[in-house]
Amino acid sequence: MTARILLLGGTGDALAIARTLGPQHVYSLAGLGRVPADLTCAVRVGGFGGAEGLARFLADEDIALVFDATHPYAAQISANAARACVAAHVPYWALRRAPWQPQPGDDWRMVSGWAGVVEALAPFARPLFTLGREPLAHLNEVPQRQHWTVRCLEAHPGHARARIIDARGPFTAEGERALFIEAHIDVVVSKNSGGAATEAKLAVARELGLPVVMMQRPPLPDAQREFTSAQEAIDTLANYNQRSFHA
Ligand code: NAP
């Protein structure tokens, strides 16, 4: 009997792990972004129907381990996965990417939630939003004195005071510097995602003396095993498989 892993994804780290999984394992995506067509493991797309639906999936598909490599701000699926694993008596492991830490010279303004972002942006005129698609739901609320630049994974026409840039990381310091200067950015809005792919904006904000409005991370459930890098997870899952297969 093979030990079947359910990998919860939607991040670059998760994709790196998925690329190392054999055909008996399942990689799960919410369905908001690109679905890779070149993986050896099975790929499923779409929600499970809450923690109860996920617990049923674990039993029906005979899953032996859930590995949560979702984004640190995808708190709902992580909470559901932890609950479903308890209900289905399946171990819950997770990749918990370390958050970025402010460096000397940084001016970070910590906020929680969209209302906190709006309040922190009041003194500024040209924010760059780099926290996903949430600003798209608020394009009719751009204050008169502001112009928004919103970078997210969605094509959108924007309007006279909101420009939408549909771009996927990784981003370089040169590219970020050019964008900040060309768009006259005076404040950067970010999630504390951690990792290298989108970190350059913080170094460029520091260099140009720009403040960063940083959304606080949501609380996430404890996992039985936690990993801080995709490589650490890949190495451990490879051994986990060997042990299971040879047991
Ligand atoms: P979320 O709020 O935690 O989850 C909302 C619902 O989406 C979940 O309850 C679940 O539906 C479904 N879902 C989420 N991830 C799933 C997965 N890997 N496989 C199957 N269903 C999933 O999630 P989110 O913040 O909207 O993020 C959605 C996806 O985008 C995640 O996979 C995440 O890794 C990725 N992502 C998120 C961010 C971010 O900033 N939030 C950034 C980059 C990538 P059911 O309850 O029906 O099961």
Side-chain angles (χ1 to χ4, degrees):
M1 171 108 170
T2 56
R4 203 163 189 218
I5 299 169
L6 172 66
L7 174 66
L8 300 172
T11 61
D13 283 337
L15 182 58
I17 298 168
R19 290 200 184 285
T20 69
L21 296 181
Q24 73 274 26
H25 304 299
V26 184
Y27 179 44
S28 175
L29 292 167
L32 302 176
R34 278 196 304 227
V35 179
D38 59 347
L39 298 181
T40 306
C41 64
V43 181
R44 67 161 301 286
V45 179
F48 296 95
E52 293 72 22
L54 179 49
R56 272 195 305 278
F57 181 91
L58 299 181
D60 292 348
E61 297 293 325
D62 205 15
I63 300 295
L65 171 70
V66 172
F67 195 100
D68 179 0
T70 60
H71 192 272
Y73 286 72
Q76 187 61 60
I77 185 65
S78 294
N80 290 353
R83 271 184 52 208
C85 284
V86 170
H89 306 289
V90 167
Y92 171 69
W93 293 5
L95 179 58
R96 298 278 190 247
R97 223 191 283 163
W100 296 314
Q101 299 295 339
Q103 308 293 315
D106 278 336
D107 174 5
W108 286 14
R109 319 219 174 154
M110 305 304 294
V111 299
S112 62
W114 181 255
V117 170
V118 171
E119 197 182 329
L121 290 181
F124 300 99
R126 308 271 313 184
L128 168 66
F129 292 87
T130 63
L131 38 65
R133 70 193 70 208
E134 192 169 1
L136 300 184
H138 300 278
L139 291 183
N140 59 354
E141 299 160 23
V142 180
Q144 276 302 325
R145 56 178 299 275
Q146 285 185 357
H147 178 281
W148 290 5
T149 303
V150 179
R151 184 168 67 195
C152 62
L153 296 177
E154 202 158 286
H156 189 289
H159 56 63
R161 284 185 293 113
R163 170 186 171 197
I164 319 301
I165 301 173
D166 173 14
R168 180 181 295 272
F171 301 106
T172 63
E174 294 69 31
E176 298 294 51
R177 197 176 296 113
L179 172 64
F180 286 22
I181 291 169
E182 177 250 322
H184 304 286
I185 300 304
D186 62 0
V187 62
V188 179
V189 189
S190 179
K191 287 177 175 171
N192 195 338
S193 302
T198 59
E199 195 179 12
K201 63 188 168 189
L202 301 178
V204 174
R206 188 179 312 126
E207 173 191 315
L208 299 179
L210 301 182
V212 176
V213 172
M214 186 69 86
M215 270 183 115
Q216 256 146 8
R217 281 191 174 194
L220 295 173
D222 289 334
Q224 272 120 317
R225 285 196 69 171
E226 298 195 354
F227 301 81
T228 53
S229 74
Q231 193 55 53
E232 190 191 354
I234 288 167
D235 294 344
T236 305
L237 290 176
N239 290 326
Y240 171 85
N241 280 327
Q242 275 164 19
R243 273 208 306 276
S244 308
F245 297 152
H246 297 152

